[in-house]
Amino acid sequence: MQLWPHLPAFYCNIKDLCPSVKNILLLDHDGRRVAVKYFSDEWATNSAKETFENLVFEKTQKTLARNEAEIILLENHIVVYKFAQDLQFFVTGGDEENELILSSVLQAFFESVTILLRLFSDTSLVHCLSMSDVQRGNVDKKEALENLDLILLCIDEIIDGGIVLETDPNVIAGKVASNSTDSGAPLSEQTLSQALATAREHLARSLLK
């Protein structure tokens, strides 16, 4: 769901009009970075960011967040999070932000990453047009690291400068998949991987219909 279809991003400096996110974190089960993006100057150095990530990891390990998202208030920030296999997904907002909006961002991030990693790691799905088939199964750190570019593009589709743009995982995954394929060359001149990319693009277009 596109939250602000008629409002240009530059108007979103008025915080009352647009929900915002301070960072999105994807960590492994040991608290190490997999993919992170910050949208606030509160953490000006890499050291400050790593300190925050360590704190978030430490404070959330005693909770169960595999079936449903959990929420914690941490240093005047609301952090919503969810775990899957050996990956941990976090979204941070200010303590004044709407928890439901932050939770919708978390779910969009989790589901769109799941769709993309299942699609790009399992070539048997390239001809499958059923979203339930694409989403079946879990994702893990190995798949995430092998497709890190897709995860970062996914974050870019959800958040722009901290402003929430899109929370529909099917739309997000479809846009990322479309932008990640190149079918300009004739099929006879494509390598196997390029041919698979063409098939994936067909699926991506079907997601956007």
Side-chain angles (χ1 to χ4, degrees):
M1 177 181 66
Q2 190 170 12
L3 296 181
W4 307 103
H6 305 299
L7 186 63
F10 59 81
Y11 284 120
C12 292
N13 290 327
I14 306 175
K15 292 185 66 65
D16 290 340
L17 294 180
C18 295
S20 63
V21 167
K22 292 181 180 290
N23 62 52
I24 290 185
L25 313 175
L26 180 58
L27 309 179
D28 69 10
H29 65 290
D30 292 319
R32 291 188 292 261
R33 285 184 180 184
V34 176
V36 303
K37 279 204 172 184
Y38 285 79
F39 309 100
S40 170
D41 294 332
E42 293 181 45
W43 303 276
T45 66
N46 191 59
S47 176
K49 295 173 182 176
E50 290 180 346
T51 298
F52 180 77
E53 291 160 25
N54 291 336
L55 180 62
V56 168
F57 178 78
E58 177 186 341
K59 295 297 185 180
T60 56
Q61 294 313 292
K62 294 182 179 180
T63 59
L64 297 176
R66 294 195 176 274
N67 296 323
E68 299 292 337
E70 298 282 348
I71 301 175
I72 187 174
L73 185 62
L74 185 64
E75 293 187 341
N76 298 320
H77 299 97
I78 296 173
V79 181
V80 294
Y81 58 99
K82 185 171 185 177
F83 302 157
Q85 296 286 84
D86 52 359
L87 293 175
Q88 302 186 359
F89 297 74
F90 301 88
V91 172
T92 303
D95 57 4
E96 76 287 351
E97 289 298 337
N98 187 306
E99 294 177 3
L100 293 177
I101 293 292
L102 295 177
S103 295
S104 70
V105 172
L106 174 69
Q107 195 64 22
F109 181 41
F110 172 76
E111 290 188 12
S112 56
V113 167
T114 299
I115 293 169
L116 288 164
L117 295 191
R118 292 260 55 82
L119 173 62
F120 280 81
S121 64
D122 188 348
T123 57
S124 67
L125 296 176
V126 297
H127 300 296
C128 175
L129 300 182
S130 168
M131 282 307 306
S132 61
D133 289 338
V134 173
Q135 290 175 303
R136 187 176 297 137
N138 290 315
V139 296
D140 57 31
K141 179 182 176 181
K142 179 177 180 293
E143 292 176 341
L145 291 175
E146 290 174 349
N147 296 279
L148 191 57
D149 57 331
L150 297 178
I151 295 175
L152 295 175
L153 286 172
C154 192
I155 296 175
D156 289 340
E157 291 292 340
I158 301 171
I159 304 293
D160 182 11
I163 303 304
V164 182
L165 296 181
E166 181 64 68
T167 58
D168 185 325
N170 293 344
V171 172
I172 296 163
K175 288 181 178 179
V176 172
S178 293
N179 292 335
S180 301
T181 57
D182 180 8
S183 57
L187 187 60
S188 59
E189 299 178 7
Q190 294 183 25
T191 63
L192 175 60
S193 61
Q194 288 172 323
L196 289 173
T198 301
R200 290 171 182 144
E201 183 175 15
H202 174 68
L203 173 57
R205 288 174 177 170
S206 73
L207 296 178
L208 293 175
K209 289 182 180 179

